[in-house]
Amino acid sequence: MERNEIQDVTRVNQLFERISALIEQARRFVVSTVNVTEVKTRYEVGRYIFEDEQQGERAAYGKRILRNLSAKLMERFGNDWSYDTLKRCRYFYQAYENAQIGAMALPQFDEDGKQADNQQNANCGNGVAPIRLPRFTLSWSHYLVLMRIENIEARSFYEIECAQQQWSVSQLSRQVGSSLYERLALSRNKDEVMRLALEGQTIEKPTDIIKNPMTLEFLGLKPEAAYTESKLESAIISKLQTFLLEMGKGFLFETRQKRFTFDEQNYYVDLVLFNRYLRAFVLIDLKVKKLTHQDLGQMQMYVNYYDRYVRLPYENPTIGILVCQEKNDSLVELTLPKDANIYAAEYSLYLPDKALLQRKLKEWVDEFNEKNPE
């Protein structure tokens, strides 16, 4: 191939990549715009229905008016506007009507159907404040899951995390079902609990990645069955994507059974991860029985080895996590130095009792408020 032909091929390939990226970006924007428009429309449909409903008898309204309305809408716009869909729209509006953080104004129109200018839109031309919509960023399918979360702080947390981490609907459902919000909240103080609702999960220090218990129901292991640490590790590797989702934000998998040699003896770390937010290695040792002080001492050796021989100068100190069936906080505190970067987290092979966690969280916050009056 001649030089000019090579240059042409190179230019075409470069131009192809740039244009392809532009087209893909445009397609993502179109999908996102369509999703947000659909959600806003259903929110407004719910508002119309709710406001009209207040003028009549609610019981009769649900059985008569809403069904008649659905029939007319489906005749014109198709089956997307079934009776059940209209009920969900109403429920959606009721769930989000007070969620005004980051809300955006709904465009106002005059009698001729023209959109009002900015000044008119600010006061609707007659001193009445414009309608404001919550800032929706997810698909309608996501909100079908979110709007069923009664706790406003929990719902806000899941919505933020879902948008930031780009969870699928199934991933969102799994996180809600595994009580992620409650498990994280119970490991934090009052101020950090409120921060969860406003900012989602922030990763600034090692304790931010710890949750008790870790929920590993997706592994398919039976709680009552006997299994080894090797089997537990293999099950995690086979479900690695879901395991990293359970671990939290910013985790990258490096290797399993990482071997290092010291004094002519071989040692093996079960799982080695790296967290982008903490810029640190995270070593995980799996224990299928009750945690012992020997286990803690072994993890201390692993962490020391990584800090001295593996960690690069610009990386932060290595974190050690012992994932075990049962831990004793007093034993951990007594065995390890105060500045040890090592933590123990219990795991569960079934989804936690959400109501129980919610009660624990309420009791915890109430107790904290009593001890720390403002």
Side-chain angles (χ1 to χ4, degrees), residues 61-79:
Y61 188 100
K63 293 180 179 179
R64 186 179 66 252
I65 304 297
L66 212 57
R67 291 188 184 279
N68 291 339
L69 175 62
S70 171
K72 292 180 68 67
L73 288 173
M74 286 196 294
E75 183 179 356
R76 176 175 294 187
F77 298 108
N79 294 331

Side-chain angles (χ1 to χ4, degrees), residues 129-343:
I131 300 167
R132 303 190 71 82
L133 288 174
R135 187 175 294 279
F136 300 119
T137 58
L138 304 170
S139 72
W140 174 242
S141 296
H142 285 95
Y143 284 107
L144 287 175
V145 177
L146 289 168
M147 69 184 183
R148 288 170 171 77
I149 302 174
E150 295 183 3
N151 184 294
I152 295 176
E153 288 78 16
R155 187 197 308 147
S156 174
F157 165 79
Y158 287 116
E159 187 170 1
I160 293 170
E161 285 296 298
C162 192
Q164 291 181 350
Q165 302 303 308
Q166 297 183 338
W167 289 343
S168 65
V169 176
S170 61
Q171 288 174 328
L172 170 61
S173 297
R174 192 260 163 189
Q175 296 289 40
V176 173
S178 70
S179 305
L180 176 63
Y181 171 77
E182 288 80 8
R183 289 185 290 134
L184 285 173
L186 283 168
S187 64
R188 284 156 169 74
N189 62 36
K190 178 188 173 186
D191 293 335
E192 289 181 323
V193 171
M194 295 306 298
R195 191 176 177 184
L196 282 176
L198 296 174
E199 301 178 18
Q201 184 184 10
T202 53
I203 306 293
E204 298 174 347
K205 54 187 183 298
T207 52
D208 290 336
I209 63 176
I210 303 299
K211 56 178 76 76
N212 276 299
M214 291 181 59
T215 303
L216 306 181
E217 92 293 343
F218 55 87
L219 298 180
L221 298 175
K222 302 296 183 182
E224 67 279 3
Y227 54 91
T228 63
E229 291 166 3
S230 177
K231 185 172 182 179
L232 176 61
E233 177 189 327
S234 296
I236 288 174
I237 295 299
S238 68
K239 301 284 186 179
L240 187 58
Q241 182 178 4
T242 309
F243 176 73
L244 293 180
L245 178 67
E246 169 63 18
M247 287 296 298
K249 288 182 176 179
F251 279 98
L252 305 173
F253 174 75
E254 180 174 284
T255 188
R256 65 186 294 194
Q257 290 298 308
K258 175 69 173 181
R259 186 185 71 178
F260 64 88
T261 303
F262 183 74
D263 278 351
E264 299 183 354
Q265 292 190 48
N266 293 328
Y267 300 91
Y268 298 87
V269 183
D270 288 337
L271 299 171
V272 179
L273 308 179
F274 189 87
N275 189 277
R276 295 188 299 111
Y277 294 96
L278 297 174
R279 287 182 300 163
F281 282 104
V282 180
L283 310 182
I284 296 180
D285 215 13
L286 304 172
K287 302 297 176 183
V288 297
K289 297 181 179 179
K290 185 176 180 179
L291 191 66
T292 67
H293 70 277
Q294 291 93 337
D295 298 329
L296 293 165
Q298 185 180 52
M299 177 57 80
Q300 181 75 74
M301 182 187 66
Y302 293 166
V303 168
N304 289 343
Y305 180 88
Y306 256 74
D307 278 341
R308 295 172 188 176
Y309 302 112
V310 180
R311 178 168 67 97
L312 298 176
Y314 57 83
E315 293 172 340
N316 289 320
T318 304
I319 302 165
I321 301 178
L322 291 128
V323 179
C324 54
Q325 275 199 343
E326 184 181 351
K327 69 183 179 73
N328 184 316
D329 291 330
S330 298
L331 176 66
V332 175
E333 184 178 350
L334 184 63
T335 303
L336 297 173
K338 291 184 177 180
D339 59 349
N341 218 13
I342 296 172
Y343 308 90

Side-chain angles (χ1 to χ4, degrees), residues 31-79:
V31 171
S32 174
T33 302
V34 169
N35 284 339
V36 172
T37 301
E38 178 188 20
V39 172
K40 290 179 180 178
T41 300
R42 292 179 188 257
Y43 177 86
E44 279 299 285
V45 168
R47 181 174 71 86
Y48 288 168
I49 292 172
F50 179 79
E51 291 176 351
D52 184 73
E53 181 184 50
Q54 305 311 301
Q55 302 174 18
E57 298 179 11
R58 181 165 183 170
Y61 188 100
K63 293 180 179 179
R64 186 179 66 252
I65 304 297
L66 212 57
R67 291 188 184 279
N68 291 339
L69 175 62
S70 171
K72 292 180 68 67
L73 288 173
M74 286 196 294
E75 183 179 356
R76 176 175 294 187
F77 298 108
N79 294 331

